[in-house]
Amino acid sequence: MTWENWTIVSEFILVSFSTLSSELQALLFLLFLTIYLVTLMGNVLIILVTTADSSLQNPMYFFLRNLSFLEIGFNLVIVPKMLGTLIIQDTTISFFGCATQMYFFFFFGAAECCLLATMAYDRYVAICDPLQYPIIMSRRACAQLAAACWFSGFPVAIVQTTWIFSFPFCGPNRVNHFFCDSPPVIALVCADTSLFELEALTATVLFILFPFLLILGSYVWILSTIFRMPSAEGKHKAFSTCSSHLLVVSLFYSTAILTYFRPRSSTSLESKKLLSLSYTVVTPMLNPIIYSLRNSEVKSALRRVIHRTLGPHRL
């Protein structure tokens, strides 16, 4: 195809869930709106509690606070536009808007993968080398690790987004997804994308698979250390400090790996949408619930914050 035959695409159409009936879309809108509000309130509450309570001023809760900030950003990038496609059928998104959404999706996604690996390393040091833990995970070291996690999202987001939107789009502009993810957008390109797909696979390995392997390795050492502990109480206390993180990692990575590492032909577009819903919508909601319900320190801190805010006569 020559340059003269290319069509300049100024906007995209998000297919989202438009194939469903209007009644079912209305139900999905109410469901996703509820999840969205619970996600925002839950993560804001985690941030406030871990900031206000003096007993939670340690590395584990410092990283948890950063995770909540990431989850809020992740949700703000994806969910509001998806809600618009469901309730007012606002399925169009500008070329720049699509690029912006994809950029921040890559940014928050890569940063979260690195942060989850950092949280696993924190648990590894706390359980496997407790005597050196205050030295290794000093306040300065934690700040540097958190900054590195946030910064890691920039290069992959800039390279991926700039490369994709420098390709020519020949006219079809229907993105078969509820947000501007890389695979459905690159399917609209009318040029050879093999080099980009190789780079995308490399980035996926670096920012999804490699952190996952680091987490897996950390927990192998953690579990081997826990099993060697002499007392049952010590085992229970050690495992309880990392069980919430392990559950969050399992939820996030299981769906992300199924989405980005399965061959195209083996997964339908509709099933990929469902998998994407899990790590973009559901997991950010579950994170604060998991960390609050399964963590006695967070529950105790929450009661203390409420007590100081409302007073004993209001409880």
Side-chain angles (χ1 to χ4, degrees):
M1 182 174 288
T2 62
W3 174 266
E4 290 78 6
N5 292 331
W6 287 346
T7 302
I8 297 176
V9 173
S10 60
E11 65 180 19
F12 295 96
I13 297 174
L14 296 173
V15 174
S16 190
F17 303 99
S18 59
T19 57
L20 302 176
S21 66
S22 58
E23 293 80 6
L24 191 52
Q25 288 189 58
L27 289 174
L28 287 177
F29 169 79
L30 293 175
L31 174 63
F32 293 147
L33 177 61
T34 303
I35 292 175
Y36 177 60
L37 295 176
V38 170
T39 300
L40 292 182
M41 290 187 293
N43 282 288
V44 167
L45 191 60
I46 288 290
I47 293 169
L48 293 176
V49 169
T50 57
T51 302
D53 194 87
S54 58
S55 67
L56 301 184
Q57 305 306 309
N58 59 51
M60 182 173 74
Y61 297 109
F62 170 75
F63 292 126
L64 176 59
R65 190 158 55 245
N66 277 268
L67 180 63
S68 290
F69 276 115
L70 283 174
E71 298 289 30
I72 291 172
F74 212 60
N75 243 237
L76 291 174
V77 168
I78 304 296
V79 180
K81 181 61 182 176
M82 181 178 66
L83 293 175
T85 64
L86 288 170
I87 194 63
I88 60 174
Q89 304 301 309
D90 180 21
T91 58
T92 60
I93 184 170
S94 68
F95 189 89
F96 177 75
C98 187
T100 302
Q101 187 182 54
M102 185 181 294
Y103 171 85
F104 283 106
F105 169 73
F106 284 138
F107 169 74
F108 287 119
E112 182 164 345
C113 288
C114 294
L115 185 62
L116 289 173
T118 302
M119 294 172 77
Y121 174 71
D122 170 67
R123 293 299 84 207
Y124 161 76
V125 178
I127 294 173
C128 299
D129 196 3
L131 295 179
Q132 295 296 315
Y133 181 71
I135 300 172
I136 297 175
M137 302 303 293
S138 64
R139 179 169 294 188
R140 180 179 180 182
C142 290
Q144 290 173 339
L145 286 170
C149 292
W150 281 90
F151 180 77
S152 67
F154 282 108
V156 65
I158 290 173
V159 171
Q160 295 270 81
T161 307
T162 304
W163 200 339
I164 288 175
F165 287 92
S166 66
F167 283 121
F169 293 88
C170 300
N173 64 342
R174 292 175 62 84
V175 178
N176 196 352
H177 214 318
F178 56 86
F179 72 100
C180 287
D181 196 6
S182 171
V185 172
I186 206 70
L188 304 177
V189 170
C190 54
D192 181 17
T193 61
S194 56
L195 186 59
F196 168 81
E197 290 177 12
L198 178 62
E199 183 276 335
L201 178 61
T202 304
T204 303
V205 170
L206 287 176
F207 288 95
I208 295 182
L209 189 59
F210 184 63
F212 176 72
L213 293 177
L214 289 177
I215 294 169
L216 194 62
S218 297
Y219 275 104
V220 168
W221 283 104
I222 288 171
L223 291 175
S224 66
T225 301
I226 291 176
F227 289 141
R228 291 198 303 268
M229 290 180 177
S231 67
E233 183 181 354
K235 291 179 181 179
H236 175 74
K237 185 177 179 180
F239 186 75
S240 64
T241 62
C242 57
S243 59
S244 298
H245 177 258
L246 188 58
L247 184 55
V248 167
V249 166
S250 301
L251 289 170
F252 180 83
Y253 274 101
S254 59
T255 51
I257 289 175
L258 283 174
T259 301
Y260 292 103
F261 280 97
R262 293 181 69 178
R264 293 181 181 180
S265 58
S266 67
T267 310
S268 68
L269 293 173
E270 296 304 317
S271 63
K272 284 188 175 182
K273 287 182 190 178
L274 292 176
L275 288 171
S276 298
L277 277 174
S278 178
Y279 65 84
T280 58
V281 179
V282 179
T283 302
M285 176 195 68
L286 293 178
N287 285 355
I289 296 174
I290 291 169
Y291 275 103
S292 59
L293 293 181
R294 295 181 59 85
N295 192 305
S296 58
E297 290 182 335
V298 173
K299 287 190 287 187
S300 299
L302 181 58
R303 284 193 292 269
R304 286 193 294 271
V305 170
I306 294 175
H307 185 278
R308 288 198 301 267
T309 304
L310 301 180
H313 61 283
R314 297 284 298 277
L315 291 178

